[in-house]
Amino acid sequence: MAEDLLTTLSSKTKTVEIHRDKPCVIIGERINPTGRKKVMAALKEGNFDMVRKDAEDQVAAGAAVLDVNAGVPGADEPALLKQVMQTVMEVTDVPLCIDTADPDALATALALYEGKALVNSVNGEERSLSRVLPLVKEHGAAVIGLCMDDEGIPETPEARFKVAAKIIERAGKLGIPIEDVIIDPLALTMGADSNAGRIALDTIKLVVAEFGVNITMGASNISFGMPDRKYINATFIAMAIHAGLTCPITNPLVPEVSIAIKAADLVMGRDDYGMAWIQAYRQRQQSQ
Ligand code: THG
């Protein structure tokens, strides 16, 4: 078993530590127009009110990091991402997870960001490795490595593990410390493959045992197409925390999910005296 590694992220004023001995770090997913028609429409019109509200609400609900995605088809993504980030940084001070597939947008975002950002993401494709990792190194950022490559998303945990190993190796060659690579096993939808959950969980276990790196995951993908998704997402996230997940990308405004994360922290012995659990309980009582 590899030693568990510590990833630190920071904004101008705040530092967040990600480690398997510490409470789970929630990366708030909502600032993302993909699949959210209202956000898409608002961003197209240059209206950032929803971005502002999504930032404030997610931090109030326990997000320690915010994912920012400005992928609007046809828009100037570098300019739009910059505006979205600036809006978020006006209303919150948590570190940002910069979610873009556009290297120009990434370069612009990293140049603007003050602190240590999390880059979302690099994958095992040569084109991605050679464009994203140098930017990560140049800016001293951390990076999410997706378990996919030129041939798509491998079906088996062993093959996904190999992609993770390749990304970690390539990052290391550029001088990016291994603790600054966070692996995403990729949670596909169960609607397409009923083994999607187990494959993600087994990938997490393999990667953690070998490298001790932190693990993220867009945990809500799993339940697409199913009714009562919140219960599936909450259960899956708790199971993934046991497997080694340390910083899920999720929606903290869904109480079932936030409560499951807090309960998992408690069960894993990462909540001394249950103080965080009790505090969250009191907050729920007060807001009723
Ligand atoms: N891994 C990594 N990054 C990611 C993902 C991942 N970034 C994007 C995505 N997956 C995670 N982010 C989101 C953001 C928003 C929503 C889902 C995932 C979302 N979903 C609604 C839903 O679940 O029904 C869509 C509609 C709505 O809100 O009305 O909003 O896997 N590294």
Side-chain angles (χ1 to χ4, degrees):
M1 283 294 277
E3 180 196 344
D4 285 327
L5 301 176
L6 173 71
T7 310
T8 63
L9 304 177
S10 62
S11 62
K12 213 153 70 168
T13 53
K14 264 209 172 121
T15 299
V16 170
E17 295 190 326
I18 308 171
H19 189 279
R20 248 172 309 277
D21 288 344
K22 293 177 184 290
C24 187
V25 167
I26 296 177
I27 304 176
E29 75 179 10
R30 288 178 60 83
I31 303 170
N32 189 337
T34 317
R36 297 187 66 209
K37 283 186 187 139
K38 280 186 186 166
V39 178
M40 182 78 81
L43 288 185
K44 272 188 182 155
E45 289 170 9
N47 179 343
F48 296 95
D49 293 346
M50 282 190 78
V51 169
R52 220 169 271 122
K53 184 166 176 6
D54 277 334
E56 289 169 339
D57 289 353
Q58 289 185 103
V59 171
V65 176
L66 291 176
D67 187 86
V68 286
N69 182 306
V72 174
D76 175 353
E77 194 174 328
L80 192 57
L81 182 58
K82 188 173 170 176
Q83 285 177 294
V84 169
M85 285 171 65
Q86 279 166 339
T87 304
V88 172
M89 292 188 293
E90 275 165 26
V91 295
T92 67
D93 61 357
V94 299
L96 299 184
C97 172
I98 302 167
D99 191 351
T100 178
D102 175 348
D104 294 331
L106 179 60
T108 304
L110 285 170
L112 147 95
Y113 190 75
E114 293 179 76
K116 183 176 172 189
L118 178 58
V119 170
N120 188 6
S121 56
V122 71
N123 62 55
E125 284 182 64
E126 199 50 46
R127 208 167 57 109
S128 173
L129 292 164
S130 63
R131 294 177 88 171
V132 176
L133 292 180
L135 285 170
V136 170
K137 172 63 184 166
E138 180 188 341
H139 293 275
V143 64
I144 295 174
L146 304 183
C147 292
M148 60 181 284
D149 60 17
D150 314 68
E151 286 162 43
I153 303 172
E155 277 184 22
T156 67
E158 291 74 19
R160 289 194 197 181
F161 167 86
K162 276 192 186 150
V163 179
K166 178 181 179 185
I167 294 170
I168 289 167
E169 189 197 335
R170 288 290 290 270
K173 278 193 179 150
L174 285 182
I176 299 166
I178 181 168
E179 64 268 24
D180 284 340
V181 182
I182 297 182
I183 295 297
D184 183 336
L186 292 175
L188 299 182
T189 160
M190 296 186 317
D193 178 356
S194 49
N195 286 315
R198 208 167 42 82
I199 293 168
L201 297 176
D202 289 348
T203 305
I204 294 174
K205 289 184 205 161
L206 289 175
V207 171
V208 167
E210 180 70 19
F211 299 112
V213 292
N214 282 300
I215 303 286
T216 187
M217 189 163 73
S220 53
N221 306 353
I222 197 82
S223 60
F224 275 121
M226 287 290 171
D228 259 349
R229 292 180 57 192
K230 55 188 184 288
Y231 299 113
I232 303 172
N233 294 347
T235 302
F236 180 53
I237 242 176
M239 294 173 78
I241 288 171
H242 180 245
L245 174 71
T246 45
C247 48
I249 304 174
T250 191
N251 180 0
L253 300 177
V254 178
E256 288 80 1
V257 169
S258 306
I259 293 171
I261 290 172
K262 287 256 166 8
D265 281 340
L266 188 65
V267 173
M268 297 296 287
R270 296 167 192 163
D271 179 4
D272 290 341
Y273 306 101
M275 294 305 282
W277 176 263
I278 292 164
Q279 196 197 345
Y281 167 75
R282 290 202 177 119
Q283 253 180 23
R284 290 200 295 279
Q285 297 298 101
Q286 276 164 13
S287 64
Q288 268 171 11

